[in-house]
């Protein structure tokens, strides 16, 4: 299913969505958590990218595995492909977790809440914000490492 699109390898096509949506989600979450006055303006973008980034990351991982199987005939992966796959194996679950944390943050801070959040709700929001920012930093880091290792495995140094 994730092997080919119009007789072209799917991975190079799908990975472009991941390259856009994953860092975008990380940047939006940091902005949303750090600058509360932006929340009304970017909440929709955070929510949309909270779905787009994990879906594209999973699709990129599956298409990459299909491409690697096709290229190696099911044999062992070359070292650069193995490294790229291992990094993607970290990036994908981090991106899924960041998507969930982003949605939780948007829900916790949505406008129109009753008379204001309770002390417990403020504490929960602060905790989710901190976790989301840490996940965003980790996702940004692993997105760069994974992308670089993939480019290196294709283009060399």
């Amino acid at each position: 299913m994730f092997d080919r699109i119009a007789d072209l390898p799917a991975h190079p096509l799908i990975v472009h969505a991941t390259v856009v949506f994953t860092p975008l989600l990380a940047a939006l979450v940091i902005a949303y958590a750090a600058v509360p006055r932006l929340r009304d303006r970017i909440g929709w973008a955070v929510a949309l990218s909270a779905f787009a980034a994990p879906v594209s990351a999973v699709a990129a991982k599956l298409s990459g595995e299909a491409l690697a199987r096709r290229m190696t005939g099911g044999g062992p992966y070359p070292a650069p492909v193995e490294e790229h796959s291992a990094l993607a194996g970290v990036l994908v679950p981090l991106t899924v977790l960041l998507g969930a944390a982003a949605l939780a943050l948007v829900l916790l801070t949505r406008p129109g809440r009753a008379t204001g959040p309770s002390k417990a709700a403020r504490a929960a929001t602060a905790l989710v914000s901190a976790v989301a920012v840490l996940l965003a930093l980790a996702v940004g880091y692993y997105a760069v490492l994974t992308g670089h290792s993939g480019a290196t495995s294709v283009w060399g140094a």
Side-chain angles (χ1 to χ4, degrees):
M1 175 176 174
F2 288 97
D3 189 24
R4 296 181 108 37
I5 297 173
D7 207 34
L8 294 171
H11 187 64
L13 301 172
I14 292 171
V15 79
H16 286 87
T18 307
V19 166
V20 171
F21 289 126
T22 303
L24 179 64
L25 173 61
L28 285 169
V29 164
I30 291 170
Y32 192 89
V35 188
R37 70 177 186 273
L38 291 178
R39 290 179 180 163
D40 287 343
R41 287 184 238 151
I42 66 171
W44 66 271
V46 173
L48 185 61
S49 62
F51 286 104
V55 167
S56 67
V58 169
K61 176 82 168 132
L62 294 173
S63 66
E65 291 168 350
L67 178 61
R69 280 191 303 275
R70 178 181 288 275
M71 299 292 292
T72 63
Y77 297 167
V81 174
E82 190 65 45
E83 176 189 0
H84 179 61
S85 180
L87 289 168
V90 175
L91 177 61
V92 171
L94 284 175
T95 304
V96 170
L97 289 171
L98 178 57
L103 289 174
L105 187 58
V106 169
L107 290 173
L108 285 169
T109 59
R110 70 189 181 278
R113 292 181 61 138
T115 57
S118 66
K119 186 175 180 181
R122 285 192 306 273
T125 301
L127 178 62
V128 171
S129 292
V131 168
V133 167
L134 290 174
L135 284 168
L137 293 171
V139 163
Y141 177 76
Y142 275 96
V144 169
L145 287 180
T146 305
H148 180 70
S149 70
T152 301
S153 71
V154 171
W155 300 106

